[in-house]
Amino acid sequence: MADVSLTVNGKAVRVDVDPRTPLLWVLREQLGLTGTKYGCGIAQCGACTVSLDGDAVRACVTPVSRAADRRVVTVEGLSSDRSHPVQRAWLEEQVPQCGYCQSGQIMATCVLLTKVRRPTDEQIDQALAGNLCRCGTYHRIRKAVHRAAELTEEGGGPR
Ligand code: FES
Ligand code: FES
C-alpha cells in the first residue's frame, strides 16, 4: 500500500492503495465516482475513458501510480448541471440508448475538442474508434460531436 496524491475533477485527493491498482477502481470504489464504467477491463472497449492531463486514457489499465500528481477528469467533473458543451450536445441529439458506453464517448470527445476545434467526420471516427457502442449510436455521436464543437466555439471552449 502507498499514499497516492492526485487531482480528480479539480479536487486534490489522497488514496492509500496498492500503486498498481487500476485508476478505474480508485475512481469507482475509493472516490465513489461511478460515472466511469467497467466494460472489458483490457483496454478494448473505451467505457472507462477519462482525461489524464488532457489525454484520453483507459482507466481500467492505467495504474493509479501513473496518475500520481496529475490531473484526472471524469464525466462527473464536466459540470454539476449538464451545462458543458458536450453534455448539452449529447442531450440535444439524444445520443444514448442504454447509456453504458456514453461517459467514455463523452470524455473522448472532450479530449478531441481540446485538440481539434472543428473535427471532420474522419477525425471524429479516428478519435472515437476505440470507444465501442453495443447499441450502435455512432451516427448520433458523430452529429453530437459536431454540435458540441459549435457550442464550444459559442461558449468559450470545453474544460
Ligand atoms: S473497461 Fe477499459 S477499455 Fe474496456
Ligand atoms: S448506448 Fe448502449 S452501449 Fe452505447
Side-chain angles (χ1 to χ4, degrees):
M1 300 291 253
D3 258 351
V4 181
S5 301
L6 56 161
T7 302
V8 179
N9 298 335
K11 285 192 199 136
V13 296
R14 270 173 75 171
V15 287
D16 184 23
V17 288
D18 182 326
R20 294 167 299 182
T21 307
L23 176 61
L24 177 62
W25 301 123
V26 171
L27 293 172
R28 288 181 59 87
E29 294 183 358
Q30 259 81 26
L31 304 177
L33 296 168
T34 53
T36 307
K37 303 303 182 200
Y38 172 76
C40 63
I42 52 169
Q44 296 295 307
C45 74
C48 64
T49 304
V50 297
S51 165
L52 180 61
D53 277 352
D55 288 320
V57 300
R58 305 293 189 242
C60 69
V61 292
T62 301
V64 68
S65 56
R66 221 183 108 203
D69 302 320
R70 297 176 73 189
R71 196 169 48 93
V72 179
V73 181
T74 71
V75 71
E76 291 94 340
L78 298 184
S79 74
S80 56
D81 57 1
R82 303 177 182 172
S83 61
H84 186 281
V86 176
Q87 292 173 308
R88 285 162 56 202
W90 246 246
L91 287 168
E92 276 184 26
E93 299 298 340
Q94 299 186 30
V95 178
Q97 287 197 24
C98 81
Y100 201 80
C101 71
Q102 298 292 330
S103 64
Q105 308 276 11
I106 286 171
M107 293 314 298
T109 298
C110 289
V111 168
L112 170 64
L113 292 179
T114 58
K115 296 176 194 267
V116 187
R117 287 196 84 77
R118 281 289 193 148
T120 61
D121 284 348
E122 290 70 30
Q123 287 171 315
I124 294 169
D125 292 349
Q126 203 176 17
L128 300 184
N131 289 78
L132 306 182
C133 177
R134 290 169 302 185
C135 303
T137 61
Y138 299 111
H139 181 66
R140 293 207 299 266
I141 287 171
R142 205 196 255 178
K143 269 180 81 179
V145 177
H146 287 300
R147 181 65 185 137
E150 282 172 16
L151 291 169
T152 298
E153 280 189 350
E154 289 165 18
R159 281 162 277 175

